[in-house]
């Protein structure tokens, strides 16, 4: 039996796994994005720049911590189940987003902010109309990193009983069923690639053409 | 009218601006000039409240800016700063439209206004509206910067070294352009620079600052002729006399000792040695001049006829001198707008004029 | 609790740590040789380069477990389906991207006038590459190697699931047995290893950047 036959025959079960996988990643990414963006904005305010730089240092180093370590640690606290995976992914996903948001916002030139203020923008308008658009390239890059990592780590999260497409691969590995292994592999790989392509597309449309570096 | 009333700004125990009192007249360009760090930028930013002073008051048309909402105040004042200024993520249209959009103009009106302003600053709207700042040259960016500051038709413009980052040739043409613009618009402009040439060229009034204090403020020409103290004199320095050449119109300094005759008349009359300079004019055509005293030494009178340059009476002395030096001719004939001969100028004459004003 | 675990399993931990390091190290050496050569080969051929880097980026997004599993299936016919071979192969494949991309970008950034100066002194193309371009590109290439190494430490953990050994054993075995101390001990080791590799290579990178501050990494 090949992977496609396997998928055809077990579609209801497989589609449930896809839904689980996407759900896990979706919730975690949304949480990471909200937290990362909010924290990044707060720590990049001029008064908190010292904190901001510290955060950049910490999150820069924290990206060297393997994602599996966070899942494992979360398992110690919350045991088996999808909750463990979602919490771990949310925490882990904050790191690249927060790193990118805070470093990009801190890089917005002070005189650009001042020009915006000088023209009569309120602080909120400066943030929304100037700072965030200028940081958008980097924010989107952080988001893409988080999504790629989450899709990948969610597969491994099957070992803490999180469900998702990892289940298919693990069962395939343990009962030596190449068709299952291939089917699972094909699906997660497609999800990973498609979501990254989709985000690349969004990135293109969100980031102003005036900011892209001609290559 | 903008009045600064004993304005002081202190950072810790450093006083950046020290009891500065200054009245900036309406509809004219007032230059803030002084060495680096003397507090020019600080002063400018206090006017639109980007910086709050430690002490003193600033009034626009009699109303204290501290009685106004800073956001509203800034939207009503045009602000141009060196180099950056433009938002890289907005198109030219977006940049010009910043303040109008903050004031909730509708899109059509913003677009029309942006087109209008681009034409005003000599950029073709159909080409430039959709461009991004990185797709513009330095000079074009500065023009857009000026257009942006004018977007909501502010009466007051604050300009902080707006042409500072531009090469000398482009800077010159931007200055010319800005002067022509101001002739039509007549805004109240506060213009910061530490380029004396720029100050003299653009300023109706110049205020000279040092260590946060006002040293002298006067009409440009008066300030050049009567520097208040050694500091001002030194600041104006060596450039001073050359800069004055920029201010003085050729028409006012010509040598009027000349007679006009046709070539034929000259040949016929046999000019005496004592006659003043003779300009040969046949119909509308000026063909040359004959220096006083030259004719007697010549066998053939025609050989004594010198070629010359013509200069408009509205030209500055600097332009006249430059024309002469470049052509290698000894004299320029200065003509009025209708072609009448106002007189002649030579390099030694200009040197003499300069020596006189330098006293 | 964790202390007693480490006391009891100290030797085992050391063994698996070394296993982990050797797996990552081997993959890194392979990836660096392939990546730098590939980067050099494609430099100067912009279209090919974009394709190669693009393909490597796509491969890079493929979840690690999926790639491991894929190799298990693919290598089964030659009886290498489990163990270190698929693990090292997968790690190598992943590590190539950051290295090849950084090599390519770094070579492109070399100032053309420097290259011309070298040519003007009579250097052959390969001398220009070896004596001028590559040394100038080194800091950025090292940044790519560091990225690859850090990522490799994390991915090698997953190799335990396909019999590749390494520190992942403690984590997955600990989870399976619900042995918290084992999980915590494994997590601690893997975290420390990740941070140490990152820090160590960061220092190496700075040491190789003469006079200048580190340039930005070209992360996606
Ligand atoms: N935020 C600040 N904190 C402390 N000192 C400041 C601050 N801003 C300005 N100063 C000081 O105040 C003085 C005046 O600064 P300002 O920027 O107004 O000078 P400037 O005349 O515009 O100089 P330049 O021609 O170089 O632009 C300088 O000595 C400067 O160091
Ligand atoms: Mg200044």
């Amino acid at each position: 039996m090949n992977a496609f036959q396997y998928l055809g025959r077990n579609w209801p079960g497989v589609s449930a796994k896809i839904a689980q996988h996407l759900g896990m990643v979706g919730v975690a990414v949304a949480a990471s994005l909200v937290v990362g963006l909010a924290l990044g904005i707060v720590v990049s305010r001029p008064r908190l720049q010292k904190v901001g730089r510290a955060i950049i240092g910490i999150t820069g180093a924290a990206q060297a911590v393997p994602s599996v370590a966070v899942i494992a640690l979360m398992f110690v606290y919350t045991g088996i189940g999808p909750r463990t995976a979602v919490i771990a992914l949310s925490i882990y996903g904050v790191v690249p987003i927060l790193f990118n948001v805070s470093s990009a916002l801190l890089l917005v030139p002070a005189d650009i902010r001042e020009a915006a203020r000088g023209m009569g923008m309120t602080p909120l308008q400066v943030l929304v109309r100037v700072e965030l658009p200028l940081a958008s390239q980097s924010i989107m890059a952080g988001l893409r990193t988080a999504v790629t990592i989450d899709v990948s780590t969610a597969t491994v999260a099957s070992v803490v009983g999180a469900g998702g497409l990892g289940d298919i691969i693990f069962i395939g590995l343990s009962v030596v069923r190449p068709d299952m292994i291939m089917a699972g592999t094909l699906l997660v790989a497609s999800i990973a690639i498609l979501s990254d392509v989709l985000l690349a597309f969004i990135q293109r449309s969100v980031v102003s053409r005036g900011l892209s570096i001609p290559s | 009218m903008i009045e600064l009333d004993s304005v002081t700004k202190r950072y810790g125990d450093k006083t950046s601006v020290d009891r500065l009192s200054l009245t900036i007249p309406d509809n004219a360009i007032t230059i803030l000039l002084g060495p680096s760090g003397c507090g020019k930028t600080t002063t400018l930013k206090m006017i639109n409240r980007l910086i709050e002073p430690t002490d003193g008051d600033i009034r626009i048309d009699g109303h204290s800016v501290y009685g106004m909402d800073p956001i509203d105040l800034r939207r009503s004042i045009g602000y141009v700063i060196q180099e950056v200024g433009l938002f890289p993520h907005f198109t030219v249209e977006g940049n010009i439209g910043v303040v109008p959009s903050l004031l909730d103009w509708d899109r059509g009106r913003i677009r029309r206004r942006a087109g209008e302003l681009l034409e005003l600053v000599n950029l073709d709207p159909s080409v430039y509206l959709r461009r991004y700042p990185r797709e513009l040259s330095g000079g074009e960016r500065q023009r857009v910067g000026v257009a942006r500051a004018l977007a909501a038709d502010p009466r007051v413009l604050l300009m902080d070294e707006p042409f500072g980052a531009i090469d000398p040739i482009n800077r010159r043409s931007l200055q010319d352009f800005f002067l022509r613009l101001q002739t039509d618009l007549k805004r109240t402009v506060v213009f910061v620079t530490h380029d004396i040439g720029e100050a003299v060229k653009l300023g109706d009034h110049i205020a000279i600052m040092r260590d946060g204090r006002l040293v002298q403020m006067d009409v440009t020409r008066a300030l050049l002729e009567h520097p208040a103290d050694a500091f001002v004199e030194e600041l104006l320095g060596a450039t001073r006399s050359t800069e004055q050449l920029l201010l003085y119109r050729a028409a006012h300094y010509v040598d009027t000792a000349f007679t006009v005759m046709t070539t034929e008349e000259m040949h016929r009359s046999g000019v005496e040695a004592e006659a003043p300079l003779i300009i040969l004019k046949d119909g509308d055509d000026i063909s040359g001049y004959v220096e006083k005293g030259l004719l007697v030494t010549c066998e053939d009178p025609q050989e004594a006829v010198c070629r010359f340059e013509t200069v408009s009476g509205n030209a500055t002395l600097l332009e006249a001198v430059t024309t002469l030096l470049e052509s290698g001719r000894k004299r320029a004939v200065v003509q009025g707008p209708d072609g009448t001969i106002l007189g002649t100028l030579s390099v030694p004459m200009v040197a003499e004029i300069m020596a006189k004003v330098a006293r | 609790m964790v202390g007693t675990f480490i006391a009891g399993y100290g030797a085992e931990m050391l063994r698996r740590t070394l296993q982990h390091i050797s797996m990552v190290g081997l993959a890194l050496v392979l990836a660096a040789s392939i990546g730098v050569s590939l980067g050099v080969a494609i430099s100067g051929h912009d279209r090919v380069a974009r394709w190669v880097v693009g393909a490597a980026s796509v491969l890079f997004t493929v979840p690690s477990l999926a790639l491991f599993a894929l190799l298990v299936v693919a290598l089964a016919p030659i009886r290498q389906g489990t163990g270190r071979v698929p693990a090292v192969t997968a790690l190598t494949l992943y590590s190539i991207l950051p290295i090849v991309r950084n090599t390519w970008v770094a070579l492109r950034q070399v100032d053309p006038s420097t290259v011309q100066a070298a040519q003007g002194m009579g250097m052959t193309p390969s001398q220009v590459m070896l004596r001028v371009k590559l040394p100038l590109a080194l800091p950025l290439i090292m940044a790519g190697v560091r990225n690859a190494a850090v990522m490799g430490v994390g991915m090698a953990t997953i190799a335990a699931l396909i019999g590749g050994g390494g520190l992942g054993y403690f984590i997955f075995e600990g989870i399976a047995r619900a042995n918290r101390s084992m999980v915590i001990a494994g997590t601690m080791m893997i975290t420390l290893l990740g941070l140490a590799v990152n820090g160590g290579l960061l220092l190496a990178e700075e040491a190789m950047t003469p006079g200048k501050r580190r340039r930005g990494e070209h992360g996606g």
Side-chain angles (χ1 to χ4, degrees), chain B residues 89-275:
Chain B
H89 60 300
F90 288 155
T91 58
V92 166
E93 178 182 336
N95 268 290
I96 297 180
V98 168
V99 175
S101 80
L102 292 173
L103 295 171
D104 286 330
W105 291 17
D106 66 65
R107 291 192 118 197
R109 186 169 166 215
I110 293 178
R111 167 152 311 173
R112 277 196 305 282
R113 180 68 179 153
E116 240 169 68
L117 284 164
L118 277 184
E119 276 176 9
L120 189 71
V121 300
N122 274 329
L123 295 171
D124 180 356
S126 65
V127 175
Y128 287 96
L129 269 180
R130 307 236 61 79
R131 290 236 184 131
Y132 285 92
R134 72 179 164 93
E135 300 165 327
L136 304 176
S137 73
E140 287 164 350
R141 267 181 235 159
Q142 296 296 354
R143 283 164 195 255
V144 173
V146 173
R148 180 175 73 171
L150 291 169
D153 208 18
R155 282 202 31 232
V156 175
L157 279 181
L158 305 180
M159 307 179 87
D160 193 352
E161 305 199 35
F163 311 138
I166 304 283
D167 64 89
I169 294 177
N170 267 306
R171 193 183 317 163
R172 201 133 285 172
S173 82
L174 276 166
Q175 289 163 350
D176 290 334
F177 149 77
F178 184 66
L179 267 182
R180 282 195 303 273
L181 199 64
Q182 170 69 358
T183 317
D184 297 336
L185 296 177
K186 293 252 177 289
R187 295 301 136 104
T188 304
V189 180
V190 188
F191 192 109
V192 168
T193 182
H194 52 224
D195 172 350
I196 293 111
E198 184 166 74
V200 170
K201 180 165 181 180
L202 298 184
D204 295 307
H205 307 262
I206 297 181
I208 293 185
M209 291 179 66
R210 178 194 195 180
D211 296 339
R213 300 210 187 116
L214 180 69
V215 180
Q216 186 179 8
M217 159 137 185
D218 210 332
V219 176
T220 302
R221 187 166 168 175
L223 186 121
L224 284 168
E225 284 174 5
H226 309 288
D229 61 14
F231 170 76
V232 178
E233 197 150 9
E234 196 186 331
L235 184 72
L236 302 175
T239 46
R240 197 168 140 231
S241 37
T242 4
E243 295 309 334
Q244 292 195 347
L245 289 180
L246 266 174
L247 294 175
Y248 297 164
R249 308 247 161 258
H252 301 149
Y253 295 92
V254 291
D255 176 1
T256 49
F258 65 93
T259 51
V260 180
M261 56 180 70
T262 64
T263 310
E264 223 196 288
E265 279 169 349
M266 180 182 76
H267 285 280
R268 254 190 329 198
S269 64
V271 183
E272 311 124 45
E274 290 89 325

Side-chain angles (χ1 to χ4, degrees), chain A residues 114 117 120 129 208-209, chain B residues 45 74-75 89 101 134:
Chain A
E114 186 152 81
R117 269 202 323 136
R129 294 185 185 211
S208 159
R209 216 164 49 73
Chain B
K45 285 181 182 168
R74 291 176 199 148
R75 288 178 188 180
H89 60 300
S101 80
R134 72 179 164 93

